[in-house]
Amino acid sequence: MRHFVSAACGLWLAATAQVQAEPVVVVELYTSQGCSSCPPADEFLGMLASDPRILPLALHVDYWDYIGWEDKFALAQFTDRQKAYAHAVGSRTIYTPQLIIGGADRIEGYSPEETAERLRDHLGAATPVRLTVTREGDRLVIRAEADPPLTEPVRVQLVRYKPEETVTIERGENAGKTITYRNIVTSWEPLQDWGGTAPLEVTAPYPGDEPGAVIVQTAGPAAILAAARVE
């Protein structure tokens, strides 16, 4: 299975090699250490991280913890975010693993071919928002402009994540497995709502060395219009 996934990933990367590097496409993976279906998706997320045009983020949910293994990365906030995505499209169910690409496309289960197809679409899409983020010591300066102006407000958010950690799982559905997780989200916080007509400039504290990203997203949550890494 590893060789098949590597080959599939290589094919779509080659196919999109000439696509403009901006904007960065955000891929959210809703996952859990307690979910037996999740390890292939966790591995695939790590493969996506090798492409600088893609920002894969692992959001660990807490609704698998009752089975016998408490996911040390899980936050109820991420379960709530996944539920909000479901509610936004009129669904009452949530699933792991689930990928949400660009805030808009939802893929339930592990499907590298479908993921590659959706990523090609997002990598080739235009966005009205130009976003720049500058780090100045322990703060960020965030600037954004929209051309044409936006017709509805958007939310500017700051995400922090841990690049990598390996976990040996002792109980639950994945008992006995040792799994390396990548781009593990540790916080996802709103900074400011922006009307998208006048240019935006906002500063935010950014202590420590943990990498992160600034994400501009329409309400729902729905489409992500722009994202920029913070290293």
Side-chain angles (χ1 to χ4, degrees):
M1 179 62 73
R2 169 186 285 271
H3 296 300
F4 170 77
V5 172
S6 298
C9 191
L11 284 172
W12 71 256
L13 285 175
T16 60
Q18 301 303 315
V19 176
Q20 187 178 358
E22 295 294 341
V24 173
V25 177
V26 176
V27 178
E28 300 171 52
L29 171 63
Y30 290 87
T31 186
S32 173
Q33 294 172 13
C35 166
S36 62
S37 302
C38 287
D42 297 320
E43 182 179 12
F44 188 61
L45 188 86
M47 296 171 64
L48 293 179
S50 66
D51 191 324
R53 301 166 300 172
I54 299 170
L55 178 60
L57 298 169
L59 293 92
H60 287 242
V61 296
D62 63 355
Y63 50 84
W64 283 94
D65 289 358
Y66 77 96
I67 290 181
W69 178 254
E70 184 173 345
D71 188 328
K72 62 183 290 187
F73 306 133
L75 291 176
Q77 173 192 0
F78 301 153
T79 299
D80 291 342
R81 181 172 173 83
Q82 189 184 23
K83 288 179 178 179
Y85 271 122
H87 180 74
V89 296
S91 174
R92 295 184 178 182
T93 61
I94 54 177
Y95 187 89
T96 54
Q98 183 184 48
L99 288 171
I100 297 181
I101 302 174
D105 288 328
R106 295 154 174 80
I107 299 175
E108 293 186 350
Y110 172 58
S111 179
E113 295 86 357
E114 184 181 1
T115 302
E117 182 179 350
R118 300 294 178 85
L119 281 169
R120 279 194 292 267
D121 293 340
H122 282 270
L123 286 166
T127 175
V129 175
R130 183 175 64 187
L131 174 68
T132 61
V133 180
T134 305
R135 185 168 185 179
E136 298 179 354
D138 286 343
R139 70 170 192 157
L140 299 179
V141 180
I142 302 162
R143 299 181 177 90
E145 296 183 38
D147 184 17
L150 302 182
T151 58
E152 58 181 329
V154 292
R155 178 155 292 181
V156 181
Q157 303 159 99
L158 177 61
V159 178
R160 303 294 297 266
Y161 61 90
K162 182 179 298 187
E164 182 177 306
E165 187 169 332
T166 299
V167 178
T168 299
I169 300 171
E170 299 175 0
R171 296 179 301 279
E173 291 190 354
N174 290 318
K177 293 182 179 180
T178 298
I179 300 174
T180 298
Y181 296 95
R182 293 179 173 85
N183 288 16
I184 307 151
V185 176
T186 56
S187 66
W188 191 305
E189 302 297 337
L191 293 178
Q192 182 172 318
D193 289 344
W194 173 45
T197 51
L200 170 76
E201 181 169 329
V202 62
T203 61
Y206 196 86
D209 298 326
E210 195 171 73
V214 175
I215 293 173
V216 178
Q217 186 170 25
T218 54
I224 292 174
L225 300 184
R229 299 175 188 272
V230 183
E231 303 294 345

